Amino acid sequence: MNQFICALLCTSLFFIANLLPATACAATPITFEVLAERTHKPTLFTQGLLVDGDHFYESSGLYNQSLLVTYPIAEPAGTWAKISAPFTKKQVVPSRYFAEGLALLGDKLYLLTWQEQTLLVYDKATLNYQKSISYQGEGWGLTSDGKQLIRSDGSDTLYFHNTDTFAVIKTLKVSNDDLAVSKLNELEFAQGFIWANIWHDDRIVKIDPATGEVVGELNLSQLKHALALKNSEQVLNGIAWDEKRQAFWITGKNWPKMFLVRINH
Ligand SMILES: [Ca+2]
């Protein structure tokens, strides 16, 4: 859709907004280049993904199957070795929990659960369980801006939490041209912005953390389509900022690959 038509449509939607579901027009496209790709274990139902140093940390969902794992960014040689390579560390999440978003702050990993209203806290170095904290609502995505934890719950609202008590400090509505942007899922805080996967969509939106306004979006449909995935739940859902490479690692639920994506400014 070109910008003129989009502007016309948005103007029309403004007058009949009460008659239609809120659907924002496309934000300013962000162009990107794929710098590299590597294998991703297709057994991982990716919910949270982050990079620390030379390792990935990833949470994998579903009841009775949830995991917290870490593995090196550098792959072992050979296709067989890549697929079968063991995790550096693996922690099985109790079967009653459906693991969701994952964030790192200091020496702790914070893991959301979907509907169990329980935040699980682990030691980063060992992946040993430390404690749990109750909260209200659903857990989808989680990230940290270095001071607070930021949670999504599948709506258009982001929740900023105290890191010690997980109490909600503030909420932020995410919108584009005054229309709500919902189904926010996996999150990543990088370069002063919040980046969010939209569930069952091939887009990642760039959110101004002060206003909630979507200031740009990445359309990654070409990456997903190249994988020729069979299952409709194999959605884009993994964003990890790699400080060393100044680029994002991108993957999805049960995807066989991860992509290193550098965005253009
Ligand atoms: Ca992330």
Side-chain angles (χ1 to χ4, degrees):
M1 191 184 302
N2 70 40
Q3 291 188 336
F4 177 71
I5 294 173
C6 189
L8 270 181
L9 185 57
C10 281
T11 303
S12 302
L13 285 175
F14 177 79
F15 290 109
I16 56 174
N18 290 333
L19 302 177
L20 293 171
T23 304
C25 285
T28 305
I30 298 170
T31 60
F32 63 91
E33 56 186 313
V34 178
L35 301 179
E37 64 178 56
R38 54 153 290 158
T39 55
H40 175 249
K41 287 188 190 292
T43 51
L44 293 174
F45 192 77
T46 308
Q47 300 287 24
L49 182 71
L50 60 90
V51 164
D52 184 57
D54 58 359
H55 270 68
F56 291 109
Y57 292 80
E58 183 169 345
S59 53
S60 179
L62 301 175
Y63 292 112
N64 302 309
Q65 300 177 44
S66 288
L67 296 171
L68 173 59
V69 296
T70 180
Y71 52 99
I73 294 173
E75 288 190 278
T79 302
W80 182 87
K82 289 176 184 175
I83 295 296
S84 63
F87 295 114
T88 306
K89 289 191 174 66
K90 179 174 89 171
Q91 180 66 262
V92 175
V93 176
S95 60
R96 64 185 180 279
Y97 294 122
F98 189 123
E100 285 278 351
L102 181 70
L104 172 67
L105 188 60
D107 59 359
K108 291 178 173 35
L109 288 161
Y110 297 85
L111 178 64
L112 284 178
T113 54
W114 178 31
Q115 294 183 319
E116 292 71 60
Q117 305 193 69
T118 304
L119 177 78
L120 303 171
V121 184
Y122 294 87
D123 176 70
K124 185 191 82 169
T126 61
L127 297 196
N128 287 340
Y129 167 80
Q130 292 190 326
K131 63 178 179 179
S132 59
I133 305 173
S134 297
Y135 61 90
Q136 293 193 322
E138 293 197 357
W140 285 44
L142 194 68
T143 191
S144 173
D145 62 1
K147 296 175 184 171
Q148 306 156 102
L149 293 165
I150 305 167
R151 171 176 64 99
S152 67
D153 67 350
S155 71
D156 61 337
T157 299
L158 294 175
Y159 303 80
F160 291 70
H161 291 265
N162 176 287
T163 56
D164 293 325
T165 64
F166 208 56
V168 175
I169 299 165
K170 69 169 184 177
T171 60
L172 182 70
K173 288 280 189 182
V174 177
S175 62
N176 179 25
D177 290 334
D178 294 326
L179 291 170
V181 178
S182 62
K183 298 183 181 177
L184 301 172
N185 201 3
E186 221 276 280
L187 302 174
E188 188 76 6
F189 189 91
Q191 300 181 306
F193 292 89
I194 301 166
W195 305 75
N197 270 136
I198 298 177
W199 189 55
H200 272 265
D201 200 308
D202 299 332
R203 292 178 298 151
I204 289 173
V205 291
K206 179 183 181 183
I207 302 163
D208 183 331
T211 64
E213 183 69 19
V214 171
V215 294
E217 70 173 38
L218 282 158
N219 187 327
L220 297 160
S221 56
Q222 71 179 68
L223 298 185
K224 194 178 106 178
H225 292 158
L227 298 174
L229 303 168
K230 299 279 194 287
N231 185 321
S232 62
E233 291 304 316
Q234 288 179 279
V235 293
L236 175 75
N237 201 44
I239 327 168
W241 174 249
D242 187 326
E243 185 69 27
K244 180 179 173 185
R245 296 168 180 82
Q246 290 290 296
F248 288 102
W249 285 100
I250 302 290
T251 193
K253 297 179 182 180
N254 301 124
W255 281 22
K257 287 185 178 176
M258 312 173 82
F259 300 93
L260 183 63
V261 171
R262 178 167 291 161
I263 60 170
N264 300 316
H265 293 283

